[in-house]
Amino acid sequence: MPIKILFIEENELKQEALKLCIQQNTGIQYDIITDFKELDTVLNINAYTHLVAQSIFENESVLSFIDYIKLPLLILNDAELDLSGTSYASTKSPLSYGALFAFLVESTPISYASMEEYAMNDEEFFEQLKGLMVDEFKLNFEEIPALIENKDLSELKSRAHQLSSKFAMLDLPISAHLCKEVDVNILNDAENQLENMKLLLVDLEIVLAHLK
């Protein structure tokens, strides 16, 4: 699914560090707010998929706002808040892209149920299917950036069409739907659909991390 992260960080230097982290993957959308008071309003306005927040703001704990948080949460625990008894992912500033990506993978599950059903419980056939899918996703992950750069709309349309069914098979319906949107609209709405292809590159990277 297209990733859109809400960061909560009041420190300006740490905000800049977050921006540097995100620059390593331009397909990840994000916003930064500076305190928990904005949280409820912002969550109601924008469709975020993940939340990354400092553990303490102005002596208030992020755990006090859990009722508002229905998203996967990564806590930047610079204040060393006691998180025992919770299952939230945590790390410390500066946030590395590796830590962020691991959080995205862990919080974006895939399902092999459709593949297993198609393989009819034949483990060898299932592994063959999985290997073919890895090869296809890897090839697309490697080649799509150049196709976007060269604005090869016809080829991107074909790639999106093929990927739609693969995402659906892994129980990623939002990604599959976005592929269909690209397939249908890219020839008439190139600018927006090229941006959507950049979003799908993040999904490809996440799926590859699962499949490997």
Side-chain angles (χ1 to χ4, degrees):
M1 61 181 175
I3 302 296
K4 187 172 185 179
I5 302 173
L6 177 62
F7 292 99
I8 308 178
E9 176 58 74
E10 61 182 347
N11 183 287
E12 291 185 3
L13 288 176
K14 291 181 179 180
Q15 288 179 17
E16 292 305 312
L18 291 175
K19 293 174 184 178
L20 287 173
C21 172
I22 289 295
Q23 284 176 7
Q24 296 184 54
N25 193 325
T26 57
I28 297 177
Q29 304 173 89
Y30 74 96
D31 290 311
I32 300 176
I33 60 175
T34 58
D35 61 53
F36 293 132
K37 296 175 183 177
E38 302 175 59
L39 184 59
D40 191 30
T41 300
V42 172
L43 289 178
N44 286 330
I45 294 174
N46 296 287
Y48 295 103
T49 59
H50 298 79
L51 179 65
V52 178
Q54 281 289 346
S55 54
I56 300 290
F57 278 96
E58 298 180 351
N59 297 319
E60 291 188 276
S61 164
V62 65
L63 300 180
S64 301
F65 294 83
I66 293 303
D67 290 343
Y68 294 106
I69 300 171
K70 308 299 182 184
L71 301 173
L73 170 63
L74 173 62
I75 298 175
L76 300 176
N77 198 16
D78 296 352
E80 299 188 351
L81 179 69
D82 182 6
L83 298 176
S84 60
T86 76
S87 58
Y88 297 110
S90 67
T91 186
K92 289 188 177 182
S93 300
L95 177 64
S96 69
Y97 181 71
L100 177 63
F101 183 70
F103 165 63
L104 296 178
V105 172
E106 183 178 350
S107 56
T108 310
I110 66 173
S111 171
Y112 295 117
S114 294
M115 287 177 62
E116 290 170 344
E117 182 179 354
Y118 186 76
M120 296 182 292
N121 297 319
D122 184 327
E123 186 173 347
E124 183 177 352
F125 184 36
F126 171 80
E127 290 299 328
Q128 290 176 351
L129 286 174
K130 187 177 176 182
L132 290 171
M133 191 170 286
V134 168
D135 290 343
E136 181 172 350
F137 277 122
K138 185 176 180 181
L139 182 66
N140 277 289
F141 184 69
E142 292 172 348
E143 294 184 349
I144 283 176
L147 296 174
I148 294 172
E149 181 69 22
N150 296 327
K151 296 184 178 181
D152 191 338
L153 304 184
S154 296
E155 183 61 24
L156 286 169
K157 175 179 170 66
S158 175
R159 300 293 181 101
H161 179 81
Q162 295 169 29
L163 285 170
S164 176
S165 61
K166 307 303 187 304
F167 280 124
M169 187 173 285
L170 294 171
D171 195 23
L172 294 169
I174 298 176
S175 303
H177 177 77
L178 190 59
C179 285
K180 290 179 181 178
E181 183 178 335
V182 173
D183 182 18
V184 171
N185 297 310
I186 193 168
L187 298 182
N188 299 314
D189 183 20
E191 184 176 353
N192 286 328
Q193 300 312 320
L194 287 171
E195 290 302 312
N196 281 338
M197 287 303 300
K198 292 178 183 178
L199 302 182
L200 286 167
L201 282 172
V202 183
D203 295 352
L204 283 171
E205 188 177 8
I206 290 172
V207 168
L208 279 169
H210 278 291
L211 292 174
K212 290 179 179 179

